[in-house]
């Protein structure tokens, strides 16, 4: 069992203990242990009881629970609590913004046992009348339930891609499948997948359906299926699966039609003919040939949204999309100085090993007390260590950055002389995420105006499928970044992917550069770069407009020019 599964189970156990009014000290003990373990670079499942007990925050009891979880997949205490709790209540425990204490009141006082019942009670105003709730909490509950409903059974891209690849591999191994490939929103690299759409070529649909029916990992939804589409689920994943069956001779045509958005395939391109029309004129042996037949440039799948790409493909002026090899450094990363898992040295050495020229370290700033943010003395200490490492690792270079919290009024949380000691500054919002659009935008605009701000971090704070971002006026924010020479981050964490790709092209048109930042909190986090890259490409991002596609010397120059601006401000 991996660490994250063990931690998930521990969290559930702590929530259930709270729900069932167990000893407060015991609950605090668990919460503290989870907080500590989350930051540790250890393999819990491989540790002995004595080793577990020696970990910070882990006593005898918790160590035994961890071992039980690692060995059996559950624990007796957890099983007992689960048996004493309705399933619907367990599900409500992971709802954002409402803790186990309140869930307990809802359960015991209103007899609520499911999300559905809770929604009814909230909509009829019963929840607001409970002691300690009120209108605001009731509204929070309604919004959280609606968000949860709207996102049920969806996956973010990184997870969906893994399952889809597994599914395609499985299909390609079947007797009656000639070829299978990913299409739909997943092939267009959309940030969230609602279903997995797979195109399957077969010369015998009946035999294929029979073969699918006999396979254990597949479960068909017969009523939702048709003669040319098989709908159902794949294994334990709850995401819907659509297998679109086609004759092998029509594979390329169907691949094109099932990949592009409706707009992309139906916009008239030449002589009133759309891509769809052209696809039906004959049997093409590649998608490239269909574009070619319309006298337009080939459009990469991720661009096929029907926005700017058709016009530009016609005039042969599509952007040359940024590629992994273009990226020369990794900015915005954390170390053990704040809430990262690996030391500054480990983060630097691994970055160098991956072939990058530089690393930007951006630990949390002093207001981020929850993340062990750096006060002024620890900033100085870190800078000393960076100077030493830079001597040792040259020509590789660590740039001194910080992820400075944007406070409620839009100011950054260090005095100017401290801000001036960094090479660059990522300014991000981490607190009071419930501002309205006008205030949230105003707050960002002020942070952008700050002459020390180099990069605006994760602009909306959204966590895909978990919580909506705070609402902002994207246009105003991007325009302001253009005016003040501030770069916008594409946070590459699969849960964020923020700046949203829908705003990438507008930012580029205003001359705003973007930085693909993994926001890594451990060495493995660097591998999230690929998702940020996809989202950038989806918006039309080129190497020229990517901050971290700059060489070490060029970015050093960019940082110092930005700092000169401060002197002239
Ligand atoms: Zn952040
Ligand atoms: Zn960060």
């Amino acid at each position: 069992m991996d660490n994250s599964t063990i931690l998930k189970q521990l969290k559930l156990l702590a929530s259930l203990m709270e729900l069932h009014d167990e000893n407060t000290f015991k609950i605090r003990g668990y919460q503290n242990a989870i907080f500590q373990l989350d930051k540790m670079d250890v393999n819990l499942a491989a540790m002995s009881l004595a080793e577990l007990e020696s970990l910070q925050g882990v006593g005898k009891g918790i160590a035994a629970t961890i071992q039980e979880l690692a060995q059996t997949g559950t624990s007796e205490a957890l099983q007992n609590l689960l048996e004493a709790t309705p399933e619907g209540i367990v599900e409500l425990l992971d709802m954002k913004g409402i803790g186990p204490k309140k869930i307990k009141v809802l359960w015991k006082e209103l007899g609520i046992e499911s999300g559905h019942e809770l929604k009814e009670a909230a909509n009829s105003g019963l929840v607001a009348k409970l002691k300690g709730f009120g209108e605001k909490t009731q509204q929070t509950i309604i919004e959280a339930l609606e968000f949860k409903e709207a996102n049920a059974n969806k996956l973010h891209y990184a997870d969906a891609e893994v399952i889809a690849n597994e599914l395609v591999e499985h299909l390609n191994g079947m007797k009656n499948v000639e070829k299978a490939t990913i299409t739909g929103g997943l092939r267009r690299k959309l940030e969230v997948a609602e279903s997995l759409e797979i195109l399957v070529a077969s010369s015998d649909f009946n035999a294929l359906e029979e073969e699918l029916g006999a396979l254990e990992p597949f479960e068909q939804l017969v009523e939702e299926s048709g003669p040319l589409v098989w709908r159902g689920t794949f294994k334990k994943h709850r995401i819907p699966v659509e297998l679109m069956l086609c004759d092998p001779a029509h594979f390329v045509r169907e691949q094109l039609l099932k990949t592009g958005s409706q707009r992309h395939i139906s916009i008239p391109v030449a002589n009133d003919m759309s891509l769809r029309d052209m696809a039906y004129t004959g049997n093409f042996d590649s998608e490239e040939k269909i574009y070619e037949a319309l006298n337009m440039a080939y459009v990469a799948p991720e661009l096929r949204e029907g926005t700017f790409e058709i016009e530009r493909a016609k005039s042969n002026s599509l952007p040359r999309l940024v590629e992994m090899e273009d990226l020369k450094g990794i900015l915005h990363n954390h170390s053990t100085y704040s809430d990262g898992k690996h030391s500054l040295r480990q983060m630097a050495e691994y970055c160098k090993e991956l072939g990058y020229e530089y690393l930007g370290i951006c630990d949390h700033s002093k207001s981020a007390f929850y993340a062990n943010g750096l006060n002024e003395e620890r900033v100085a200490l870190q800078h000393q260590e960076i100077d030493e490492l830079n001597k040792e690792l040259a020509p590789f270079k660590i740039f001194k950055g910080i992820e400075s919290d944007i406070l409620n009024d839009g100011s950054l949380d260090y005095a100017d002389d401290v801000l001036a000691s960094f090479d660059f500054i990522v300014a991000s919002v981490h607190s009071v995420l419930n501002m309205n659009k006008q205030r949230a935008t105003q707050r960002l605009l002020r942070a952008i105006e700050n002459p020390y701000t180099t990069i605006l971090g994760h602009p909306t704070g959204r966590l895909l499928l978990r919580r909506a971002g705070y609402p902002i006026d994207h246009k105003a924010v991007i325009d302001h970044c253009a005016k003040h020479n501030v770069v916008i981050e594409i946070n590459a964490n699969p849960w964020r992917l923020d700046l949203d790709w829908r705003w990438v092209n507008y930012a580029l048109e205003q001359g705003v550069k973007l930085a693909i930042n993994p926001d890594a909190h451990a060495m493995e986090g660097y591998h999230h770069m690929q998702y940020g890259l996809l989202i950038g490409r989806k918006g039309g991002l080129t190497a020229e407009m990517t901050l971290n596609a700059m060489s070490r010397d060029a970015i050093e120059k960019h940082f110092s020019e930005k700092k000169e601006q401060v002197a002239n401000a």
Side-chain angles (χ1 to χ4, degrees):
M1 195 181 244
D2 61 12
N3 280 10
S4 75
T5 316
I6 293 175
L7 284 178
K8 235 190 228 166
Q9 302 279 66
L10 284 178
K11 274 180 206 162
L12 177 61
L13 180 56
S15 299
L16 285 165
M17 292 192 323
E18 224 180 327
L19 185 78
H20 288 276
D21 273 337
E22 294 207 3
N23 182 297
T24 318
F25 288 106
K26 202 173 151 192
I27 298 169
R28 291 273 169 281
Y30 267 89
Q31 288 166 340
N32 179 44
I34 292 163
F35 181 76
Q36 301 290 350
L37 289 169
D38 207 20
K39 296 186 292 184
M40 285 179 203
D41 181 23
V42 290
N43 180 1
L44 294 172
M47 294 173 86
S48 72
L49 205 54
E51 285 169 329
L52 287 169
E53 278 172 30
S54 73
L55 294 174
Q56 201 188 345
V58 179
K60 264 192 162 52
I62 298 176
T65 309
I66 292 173
Q67 197 162 61
E68 200 185 347
L69 285 169
Q71 284 168 358
T72 70
T74 183
S75 86
E76 201 187 324
L78 180 60
Q79 271 328 100
N80 289 340
L81 287 167
L82 281 172
E83 269 162 38
T85 320
E87 218 174 294
I89 292 290
V90 178
E91 271 178 35
L92 287 176
L93 284 173
D94 68 17
M95 198 164 65
K96 286 271 163 206
I98 173 147
K101 291 234 155 55
K102 285 210 157 60
I103 304 265
K104 190 193 162 195
V105 175
L106 294 163
W107 176 26
K108 297 291 176 188
E109 310 237 329
L110 293 181
I112 283 165
E113 294 197 352
S114 72
H116 180 72
E117 287 170 7
L118 176 54
K119 200 171 168 196
E120 280 189 349
N123 280 330
S124 66
L126 277 175
V127 172
K129 292 191 188 114
L130 288 169
K131 198 167 165 241
F133 280 70
E135 290 289 342
K136 205 168 169 203
T137 307
Q138 178 167 275
Q139 196 51 37
T140 306
I141 290 176
I142 292 174
E143 281 163 21
L145 285 169
E146 282 172 353
F147 189 82
K148 208 175 153 182
E149 244 170 61
N151 290 294
N153 300 338
K154 293 184 188 174
L155 293 173
H156 64 52
Y157 177 84
D159 282 346
E161 187 195 28
V162 173
I163 300 173
N165 284 332
E166 197 187 323
L167 177 58
V168 165
E169 199 183 294
H170 200 97
L171 288 163
N172 276 324
M174 285 172 60
K175 207 168 75 211
N176 292 291
V177 171
E178 207 149 298
K179 243 192 295 188
T181 191
I182 295 170
T183 59
L186 196 61
R187 185 161 179 238
R188 297 202 308 277
K189 321 286 184 196
L190 277 177
E191 69 276 31
V192 166
E194 297 181 17
S195 72
L196 305 180
E197 296 169 43
I198 314 286
L199 179 65
V200 183
S202 171
S203 27
D204 190 341
F205 295 163
N206 289 335
L208 174 60
E209 292 221 21
E210 237 166 74
E211 198 181 352
L212 282 167
L215 287 172
E216 175 262 327
F218 294 94
E219 195 186 337
Q220 187 177 16
L221 291 167
V222 180
E223 275 136 61
E224 288 172 35
S225 299
L228 291 178
V229 54
W230 182 100
R231 290 196 176 87
T233 51
F234 177 56
K235 279 189 179 158
K236 56 187 183 291
H237 312 294
R238 289 206 288 182
I239 187 159
V241 168
E242 282 187 27
L243 305 181
M244 285 152 308
L245 314 184
C246 79
D247 191 289
H250 301 145
F251 189 76
V252 169
R253 176 183 84 200
E254 292 303 313
Q255 192 183 14
L256 181 103
L257 298 181
K258 301 259 179 331
T259 297
S261 71
Q262 278 312 308
R263 273 184 60 79
H264 178 80
I265 57 173
S266 55
I267 295 176
V269 181
N271 303 326
D272 268 348
M273 230 186 180
S274 65
L275 280 158
R276 182 197 282 122
D277 300 331
M278 182 54 81
Y280 275 106
T281 59
N283 286 343
F284 294 89
D285 54 21
S286 71
E287 287 183 327
E288 282 83 350
K289 295 243 166 85
I290 305 179
Y291 287 93
E292 211 180 283
L294 278 166
N295 214 0
M296 65 196 290
Y298 173 74
V299 179
E302 55 266 54
L303 288 181
R304 299 184 198 169
E305 293 290 346
T307 50
F308 61 83
E309 79 283 4
I310 295 279
E311 274 312 307
R312 295 186 61 178
K314 270 164 70 176
S315 58
N316 202 13
S317 60
L318 281 170
R320 195 191 72 77
L321 300 178
V322 57
E323 313 226 11
M324 206 41 139
E325 298 76 56
D326 294 322
L327 303 181
K328 299 289 183 282
I330 312 187
L331 303 166
H332 188 175
N333 304 286
H334 299 259
S335 74
T336 45
Y337 273 89
S338 65
D339 59 349
K341 246 183 202 165
H342 293 122
S343 68
L344 181 56
R345 171 181 287 276
Q346 285 173 306
M347 292 300 282
E349 285 177 346
Y350 189 50
C351 182
K352 189 180 174 193
E353 197 184 307
L354 290 175
Y356 291 100
E357 296 174 11
Y358 54 88
L359 167 71
I361 203 81
C362 292
D363 274 305
H364 284 288
S365 60
K366 68 174 179 184
S367 331
F369 58 90
Y370 55 88
N372 193 24
L374 276 59
N375 61 21
E376 289 77 357
E377 286 105 88
R378 293 179 59 234
V379 167
L381 218 66
Q382 188 179 55
H383 287 181
Q384 231 172 30
E385 192 184 340
I386 291 177
D387 288 337
E388 281 157 27
L389 279 169
N390 275 341
K391 273 184 219 149
E392 187 188 323
L393 300 174
F396 181 84
K397 176 157 183 168
I398 305 170
F399 287 104
K400 296 167 184 163
I402 194 87
E403 183 173 19
S404 183
D405 265 32
I406 301 177
L407 303 177
N408 289 357
D409 64 355
S411 56
L412 302 182
D413 65 340
Y414 290 111
D416 282 1
D417 62 320
V418 182
L419 291 174
S421 71
F422 296 104
D423 293 318
F424 75 109
I425 287 167
V426 175
S428 310
V429 167
H430 294 113
S431 57
V432 194
L433 304 177
N434 56 1
M435 285 187 181
N436 64 28
K437 187 167 176 176
Q438 196 229 340
R439 286 190 60 213
T441 304
Q442 207 48 48
R443 163 152 89 162
L444 290 191
L445 297 186
R446 260 213 73 197
I448 293 162
E449 279 161 25
N450 190 311
Y452 290 101
T453 301
T454 324
I455 301 175
L456 176 64
H458 45 70
T460 75
R462 76 178 180 187
L463 292 178
L464 294 167
L465 307 174
R466 291 181 182 168
R467 85 172 174 228
Y470 39 84
I472 61 165
D473 180 341
H474 275 89
K475 229 169 162 202
V477 167
I478 292 168
D479 292 347
H480 223 55
C481 285
K483 186 169 162 204
H484 294 276
N485 188 21
V486 168
V487 173
I488 301 179
E489 164 175 283
I490 294 181
N491 192 296
N493 185 303
W495 292 104
R496 292 190 182 271
L497 302 178
D498 180 18
L499 182 72
D500 190 287
W501 62 268
R502 293 161 189 83
W503 287 99
V504 167
N505 189 48
Y506 181 76
L508 300 179
E509 282 174 356
Q510 309 316 306
V512 173
K513 281 202 165 154
L514 303 175
I516 298 173
N517 297 344
D519 199 356
H521 283 71
M523 296 189 297
E524 357 11 312
Y526 291 156
H527 300 295
H528 286 158
M529 291 284 274
Q530 55 175 314
Y531 306 114
L533 182 81
L534 286 179
I535 284 307
R537 287 171 58 94
K538 189 157 178 55
L541 183 60
T542 59
E544 296 70 50
M545 292 304 283
T546 307
L547 181 71
N548 53 316
M550 283 181 165
S551 68
R552 196 204 58 186
D553 292 343
I555 204 164
E556 190 160 11
K557 195 161 158 254
H558 174 89
F559 289 156
S560 54
E561 278 169 5
K562 177 73 191 179
K563 285 178 77 169
E564 271 164 38
Q565 243 176 269
V566 179
N568 303 330

